[in-house]
RNA sequence: GGAGGGCUACGCUAACCGGCAAGCGGACGGUCUUGAAAACCGUUGCCCGCAAGGGCUUGUGGGUUCGAGUCCCACGCCCUCCGCCA
């Protein structure tokens, strides 16, 4: 949710910011709904004040006066009863319309309507110099017995994969590696719930905008989360956090579920685009003035991890139109895949400023009263895709794969080969 | 799944038969002080308003009433016990 006061006081500022997203429909209607709501609110509050006065007078009145005063108060109550439903409807309409307005992009975000306007900021690491025809991760993974997509499809449908054998050991190693690194940097490990109430989805901005992307358990009215961000952000919903405790940093580890509706035919094989994967996620609650520093810290952690894993990547700044609803700025890291011959998103970092905090009512108390905190999230290690990048970049001519030294203490092996 | 108990502001706790949610603590601001402590005063969540002021807030949503923390209904969460269970 954006700040309606800002929209009220400086609508052109908001409009200009939304231009960088390629324009946001419904802005004028929110302004009109807000005005109508406030007019009704003022009128209802005037009547309530009158009613409160009348009611209090009854309590103090002489017995002989009571009958007459009750009749008078009843008349005010009737007028209120007629007006209140209109106020409630106006509030509902305003709420529904305002909830669809996305966050305001940060000034450093490039303007643009979609993917094509994203900006590659820089590259890091050299693509491996392979003197043979590189295999893609599906060929490597199947040959080495790390995954079984065919049986995944048999059991659960396409885009479900069994991770097997050393594929599992690789996952456990990556998870522990990422969690250890975050522990050193002040993040508290958390395994959050993956089934959440609608309020949690709504509060984090995944609803109403992206409803079709997530699984819903209708019977119990819960959603399966597509990232631990949802449950981590909701952890402190409705709380006022002690200013001295900020920043609060969590390293969430959970399975993530995505319906991938509308992606039929894209990346149908392997681990790149699946309905279920595991991920270590960074999530921070900060003072408003600290969030851009925290954003850089989260990004730095992501780069540290990819560099340690010796995966070449590029840094991509998302343009306004590719931000999603809650982010004010989003930066992805895309790993180079020699086998596939292209780049693939492996991490994403967002500063959602006060957008989620306003919806979830997460505040901090400091000098000058309470303020909304800022929330940030960023991948530490999306296990499936990281395995893809590891396999393709560290493959050898014979189809075996070496493990980067930084990860060996966690895997216990340095090479993955057939029969080993 | 069944039975019982509970939920009041930042924390802890009151409020008779329905009549302005009281008190203690914490935190913050101020007075006093060489500095501090103590003491005293003020503030404490949300909304509208330039302000004066007003409205909302007792887990959530409804209902009864001129008026609900209090009465009625539904739901959520926590605790105890029974059943089931990795």
């Amino acid at each position: 949710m954006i700040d309606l006061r800002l929209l009220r006081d400086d609508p052109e500022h908001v409009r200009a910011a939304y231009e960088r997203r390629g324009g946001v429909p419904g802005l004028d209607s929110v302004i009109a709904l807000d005005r109508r709501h406030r007019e009704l609110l003022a009128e209802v509050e005037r009547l309530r004040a009158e009613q409160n006065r009348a009611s209090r007078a009854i309590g103090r009145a002489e017995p002989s006066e009571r009958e007459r005063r009750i009749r008078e108060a009843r008349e005010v109550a009737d007028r209120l009863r007629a007006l209140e439903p209109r106020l409630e409807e106006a509030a509902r309409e305003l709420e529904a319309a305002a909830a669809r307005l996305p966050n305001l992009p940060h000034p450093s975000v490039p303007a643009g309507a979609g993917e094509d306007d994203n900006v590659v900021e820089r590259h890091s690491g050299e693509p491996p110099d392979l003197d043979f025809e590189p295999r893609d991760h599906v060929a490597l993974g199947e040959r080495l017995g790390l995954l079984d997509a065919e049986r995944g499809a048999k059991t659960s449908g396409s885009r479900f994969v069994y991770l097997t054998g050393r594929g599992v050991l690789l996952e456990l190693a990556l998870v522990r590696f990422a969690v250890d690194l975050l522990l050193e940097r002040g993040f508290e490990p958390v395994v959050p719930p993956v089934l959440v109430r609608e309020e949690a989805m709504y509060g984090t901005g995944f609803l109403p905008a992206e409803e079709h992307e997530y699984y819903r358990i209708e019977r119990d009215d819960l959603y399966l989360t597509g990232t631990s961000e949802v449950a981590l952000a909701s952890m402190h919903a409705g709380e006022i956090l002690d200013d001295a405790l900020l920043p609060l940093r969590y390293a969430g580890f959970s399975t993530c579920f995505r319906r991938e509706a509308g992606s039929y035919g894209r990346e149908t094989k392997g681990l790149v685009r699946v309905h279920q994967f595991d991920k270590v996620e960074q999530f921070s609650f900060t003072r408003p003035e600290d969030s851009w520093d925290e954003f850089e810290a989260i990004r730095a952690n992501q780069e540290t991890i990819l560099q340690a894993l010796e995966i070449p990547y590029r840094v991509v700044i998302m343009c306004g139109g590719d931000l999603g609803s809650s982010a004010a700025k989003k930066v992805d890291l895309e790993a180079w895949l020699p086998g596939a011959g292209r780049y693939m998103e492996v991490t994403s970092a967002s500063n959602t400023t006060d957008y989620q905090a306003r919806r979830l009512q997460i505040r901090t108390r400091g000098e000058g009263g309470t303020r909304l905190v800022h929330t940030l999230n960023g991948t530490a290690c999306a296990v499936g895709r990281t395995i893809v990048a590891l396999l393709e970049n560290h493959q050898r001519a014979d189809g075996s794969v070496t493990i980067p030294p930084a990860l060996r203490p966690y895997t216990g092996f340095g090479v993955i080969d057939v029969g080993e």
Side-chain angles (χ1 to χ4, degrees), chain A residues 212-377:
Chain A
H212 61 282
E213 271 294 324
Y214 303 101
Y215 291 99
R216 181 170 169 205
I217 313 293
E218 206 158 334
R219 201 177 151 92
D220 294 288
D221 212 17
L222 293 167
Y223 286 84
L224 270 167
T225 53
T227 164
S228 52
E229 172 190 345
V230 178
L232 292 173
S234 302
M235 242 173 121
H236 293 296
E239 296 182 18
I240 298 177
L241 306 171
D242 185 348
D243 204 54
L245 294 178
L246 299 178
L248 266 180
R249 300 185 171 113
Y250 294 109
F253 171 56
S254 81
T255 303
C256 306
F257 302 91
R258 304 205 177 162
R259 294 187 64 235
E260 298 296 348
S263 66
Y264 305 108
R266 289 174 64 195
E267 297 151 327
T268 51
K269 296 186 75 180
L271 292 173
V272 174
R273 192 173 293 278
V274 285
H275 289 310
Q276 175 194 327
F277 60 94
D278 296 334
K279 178 159 63 81
V280 179
E281 179 82 358
Q282 311 174 64
F283 196 93
S284 301
F285 299 85
T286 73
R287 298 184 194 101
E289 61 272 21
D290 295 338
S291 72
W292 293 105
D293 287 341
E294 186 73 6
F295 186 61
E296 292 311 316
I298 284 172
R299 288 180 57 185
N301 293 341
Q302 296 176 328
E303 296 204 40
T304 301
I305 289 169
L306 286 190
Q307 285 165 18
L309 297 176
E310 298 172 31
I311 295 170
Y313 60 90
R314 63 182 188 183
V315 181
V316 184
I317 317 288
M318 298 294 111
C319 75
D322 218 9
L323 283 179
S325 47
S326 33
K329 184 168 185 175
K330 179 153 102 173
V331 177
D332 287 1
L333 299 184
E334 297 185 348
W336 172 249
L337 302 183
R342 65 182 183 91
Y343 284 92
M344 169 193 66
E345 176 189 338
V346 277
T347 73
S348 183
S350 296
N351 184 353
T352 65
T353 59
D354 60 12
Y355 191 85
Q356 292 178 333
R358 183 171 292 106
R359 289 179 165 220
L360 292 165
Q361 282 301 300
I362 307 172
R363 289 163 291 170
T364 176
R365 191 194 307 279
E367 285 171 49
T370 57
R371 301 181 297 166
L372 293 166
V373 300
H374 281 194
T375 60
L376 304 98
N377 64 84

Side-chain angles (χ1 to χ4, degrees), chain A residues 33-93:
Chain A
L33 287 168
D34 178 54
R35 186 172 305 129
R36 192 160 70 89
H37 173 252
R38 285 198 311 149
E39 284 165 7
L40 279 166
L41 183 64
E43 176 64 12
V44 165
E45 288 195 349
R46 199 186 60 74
L47 273 173
R48 280 182 187 155
E50 197 177 323
Q51 183 189 40
N52 286 340
R53 264 197 308 278
S55 270
R56 281 194 291 263
I58 290 167
R60 287 193 305 265
E62 299 294 321
S64 62
E65 286 271 299
R66 287 179 82 97
E67 263 315 297
R68 187 176 61 79
R69 288 196 180 271
I70 286 175
R71 264 201 313 280
E72 283 169 9
R74 187 177 292 140
E75 194 218 328
V76 179
D78 286 342
R79 274 195 286 158
L80 243 185
R81 249 191 289 279
L83 196 59
E84 273 180 329
R86 287 177 56 202
L87 174 66
E88 279 165 31
E89 201 200 334
R92 261 197 308 276
E93 282 177 28

Side-chain angles (χ1 to χ4, degrees), chain A residues 7 12 35 43 60 80 101 103 175 290 320 357 360 379 388:
Chain A
L7 178 61
E12 291 320 307
R35 186 172 305 129
E43 176 64 12
R60 287 193 305 265
L80 243 185
L101 294 181
N103 203 350
V175 168
D290 295 338
L360 292 165
T379 319
V388 170

